[in-house]
Each structure stands twice: as C-alpha cells, then as structure tokens.
Amino acid sequence: MKIIGTGSVLPKKIVTNEMLSQFLDTSDEWITTRTGVKSRHVISDEKLEDMAIDAAQKALADAGISEADLDYIICSNVVNEYITPQLSCIIQGGIGASCPCIDINCACAGFIFALDLAESHYKAGKVKNVLIVCAEEPSRMPDWADRRTCVLFGDGAGAAVLGPGDNIKSIKLSSSSATDRLWQMRRLQPTPFVTKEEEDVPLQMKGQEVFKFAVKAAEKDVRRTLEEADCTPDDVDHYLLHQANIRIIDSIRHSMEQPKEKFPTNIEDHGNSSSSSCPILLDECRKAGRFQSGDLISMSAFGAGFVSGAVLFEW
Ligand code: COA
C-alpha cells in the first residue's frame, strides 16, 4: 500500500502559554523549556466529528479519489462525546461513503496501529483504497487545574488515504501493560444492580516514567523497522515523531545520531494531539513541499497502554 493523500484540521481557538499562566501556577518559560510547546489549538465550539469529516474530505481531494472508491475506513480516537456509535460510522455518513468502518483506540500510537491494520487488509487482497482518520480532543481529558497535564495537549484531526503500492517497508508494533502510568476513568450510568464504587478521574500521568518509556520504545521501534528493511538511520530522509515533548524528540534524535533538519516538528504551536499528531505533521510537511518522491520516511509514536509503533515507508 501507499499513502496517496493527506488532510488535517485544527480547531480555531489558540491557547498560548501566557493565557495558561493567567489561571495556572505556570509560566511560558517552564512550559517551553520542559516541553517545547508555545501554544496549542483547543476545541471551543467545534465538534470533533465535523473536524474529522473535514480532514477526511481534504485527504480524499488530495488523493483525487471519491468516497465511493473507499473499501474501508479506520478511525483512531481515544475520547469523543459519543460512546456509541463509533466515530468511523459518523465520518462514513459525513463523507457519504458506504464501505465498512472500524474504530481503534491505541492512544497516541493510533495512526501506526491503523496503518498496520490496513496493511493486513492489503496483504489479504481485500481492499484497494483505505481511509484512516485520527481525530482527537485530548484537551477534554485532564483536569484544567492540574498544571502537570493540561499544558501538554492540543486537539485536531489528521487523515490519510491509502492506495495500492509497495511503499511500506516495515511496520513494528509493541504493547506492554503499564496501566498506572497514564490513565483516565469515567463513571458509567448507574443501574439498580451496580454495587461497586465508580468514579470520574481526569487524566493521570507519571510524566518522567512516560518520558523514559517513550524515548526507549521509539528508538527500539525505529531501529527494528530499519533492520527489517535493511536500512541504516542515515538512509532515512525524514523522521516524523509523535509530537509529545521536544525533549523526547531531541533524545531520540541524539541516540539515532541524526541532524535536526531530518526531524520536522509542530509541537511548538500544536502541543500533543494524541494519535492525530503524526498524520497532521505528515500533512503539514507534504503541503510545505518537504517530501520528494522516493524519500524514506520513518514515523514513530507511543502512548498510554503502553503501546508504541514505528513505520518505515517510501514517499
Ligand atoms: N508549570 C510549572 N511547574 C510545573 C508544571 C507546569 N506546567 N508542571 C509541573 N511542574 C513542576 C512540578 O510540580 C515539579 O515541581 P516540584 O519539583 O516542586 O515538585 C517540577 O515542575 C518538576 O516536575 P517534573 O514532573 O519532574 O518535570 P519534568 O521535567 O519531568 O517534566 C513533563 C514534566 C510532563 C513535561 C515530562 O515528564 C514529560 O513530558 N513526560 C512525558 C509526557 C508525555 O509525553 N505524555 C503523553 C504521552 S503520549
């Protein structure tokens, strides 16, 4: 398979570090030095599903195919207002497609897991065109009085259309259960029979442990894909890493011994947009004319679970 189109959409509201420091005990200096984030786009009056549909339509237009040509839709999402139906069905209706669709929740690594799922369908000969949409509103997960978490996130939707091709060189995934490092719970509707305690807990994170996991997992995943494709880190033209923290990106870059120019970033004005982060970055780089045909791209993401994955592909 091959990526033949991309699209992305961001909410219009921009929240700067200075705005945060008006109601939180924080500063632009702290957030910038520790995370690299200067501002983020957060949902105000937008609906996530509308942003997802818009991103999907942009990716279809870029690919030059119509919704009727789609054989499968995969939506990656952690939270949205609907518990059911699945977001992919809402996107399907919004773009007027009629193919089967599925939602996955693989946290911030969702785009890589979606590519892996799509690849299985290509290998089974079941699909010609697949739409992946990552739509996330992580700004709705933390407690906005908790300076350790709420400053990190931004919302957005990123989409990619896949077509037939031989451009995926390797995909590697991994999961290792660590459910007390990054988690959130919500209370379900009461029933006359439930006797257990349930509570609403906003996003909880052991930042330093997540940081260490991220650096280790990303480097390992990227190296495994390179090994499988018989490539070296120098062969890669662009490293598109999950935009979670500039210091995580820099650590991976240092251990891969690669120049800064190979690591485009948008964390400065997007923050961490969960699984949307990779396809949004991909779309922005494409639109900026950063990729040449034949360029080798390494993409890697990690998130709650823990889960992580990397993909090596040719543009
Ligand atoms: N503003 C000011 N001070 C803050 C702050 C903020 N927004 N957030 C935390 N602090 C304080 C802490 O309370 C702590 O103060 P103390 O020493 O008085 O207790 C101090 O800064 C250091 O906190 P610490 O958590 O050790 O900082 P850190 O260097 O590890 O950076 C993260 C925190 C969250 C930025 C960093 O750990 C990180 O990015 N982890 C990975 C998170 C991630 O990527 N999550 C998503 C995965 S998909």
Side-chain angles (χ1 to χ4, degrees):
M1 69 191 192
K2 176 184 181 181
I3 296 175
I4 58 168
T6 64
S8 63
V9 173
L10 298 169
K12 60 183 173 302
K13 176 89 186 165
I14 296 172
V15 176
T16 63
N17 292 345
E18 284 81 7
M19 288 160 79
L20 293 179
S21 63
Q22 282 163 22
F23 62 89
L24 278 175
D25 180 14
T26 191
S27 64
D28 175 47
E29 203 270 330
W30 192 96
I31 303 173
T32 306
T33 355
R34 302 288 182 119
T35 72
V37 184
K38 298 288 289 180
S39 62
R40 69 288 287 147
H41 292 249
V42 301
I43 277 186
S44 52
D45 60 358
E46 297 95 345
K47 286 197 165 288
L48 186 65
E49 55 270 28
D50 292 338
M51 289 171 43
I53 291 164
D54 198 2
Q57 282 168 334
K58 286 182 168 155
L60 283 170
D62 181 44
I65 68 162
S66 93
E67 63 285 349
D69 300 322
L70 291 173
D71 302 305
Y72 205 47
I73 299 172
I74 304 171
C75 175
S76 160
N77 169 259
V78 178
V79 287
N80 72 88
E81 288 174 64
Y82 285 92
I83 287 181
T84 196
Q86 52 182 316
L87 205 47
S88 52
C89 276
I90 300 174
I91 297 167
Q92 183 211 41
I95 63 172
S98 55
C99 60
C101 38
I102 186 172
D103 275 23
I104 60 169
N105 176 350
C106 300
C108 303
F111 187 60
I112 316 282
F113 276 71
L115 285 171
D116 182 69
L117 187 58
E119 196 191 35
S120 315
H121 282 72
Y122 276 92
K123 284 187 169 160
K126 287 167 74 174
V127 293
K128 183 168 172 234
N129 294 118
V130 175
L131 168 69
I132 297 176
V133 187
C134 299
E136 303 281 13
E137 45 187 334
S139 74
R140 306 300 304 278
M141 298 170 71
D143 172 355
W144 277 76
D146 178 6
R147 65 179 185 175
R148 293 165 305 159
T149 50
C150 73
V151 303
L152 303 174
F153 299 101
D155 306 322
V161 174
L162 310 174
D166 187 21
N167 293 41
I168 305 293
K169 303 302 166 201
S170 175
I171 304 181
K172 295 289 175 196
L173 306 178
S174 62
S175 304
S176 60
S177 184
T179 52
D180 63 338
R181 320 286 157 81
L182 190 51
W183 60 280
Q184 179 176 7
M185 287 178 92
R186 65 180 150 186
R187 201 178 304 168
L188 302 180
Q189 293 297 311
T191 79
F193 314 108
V194 168
T195 52
K196 63 187 169 166
E197 287 286 316
E198 286 182 354
E199 50 178 344
D200 282 314
V201 185
L203 189 72
Q204 304 294 306
M205 186 179 68
K206 293 183 178 154
Q208 291 190 3
E209 290 181 43
V210 177
F211 191 109
K212 282 182 209 145
F213 156 76
V215 173
K216 227 162 114 181
E219 189 189 342
K220 190 170 160 206
D221 294 336
V222 168
R223 287 196 189 278
R224 283 172 68 211
T225 58
L226 290 172
E227 215 169 277
E228 184 170 82
D230 207 11
C231 294
T232 70
D234 292 347
D235 295 330
V236 175
D237 297 291
H238 316 277
Y239 287 91
L240 271 52
L241 306 187
H242 173 41
Q243 303 288 294
N245 184 320
I246 198 71
R247 291 188 295 130
I248 295 179
I249 296 170
D250 285 342
S251 300
I252 299 164
R253 179 166 64 78
H254 287 308
S255 33
M256 302 296 293
E257 298 179 314
Q258 293 298 300
K260 207 177 170 122
E261 307 76 68
K262 286 190 180 183
F263 290 72
T265 59
N266 60 18
I267 186 165
E268 302 78 10
D269 49 14
H270 290 17
N272 177 347
S273 57
S274 188
S275 73
S276 302
S277 150
C278 281
I280 291 174
L281 184 62
L282 182 72
D283 183 51
E284 291 181 348
C285 288
R286 174 193 65 78
K287 286 200 277 215
R290 205 170 167 127
F291 306 142
Q292 305 297 317
S293 174
D295 278 1
L296 197 57
I297 301 176
S298 171
M299 188 182 266
S300 140
F302 48 83
F306 289 135
V307 292
S308 70
V311 54
L312 184 69
F313 63 100
E314 200 179 280
W315 187 249

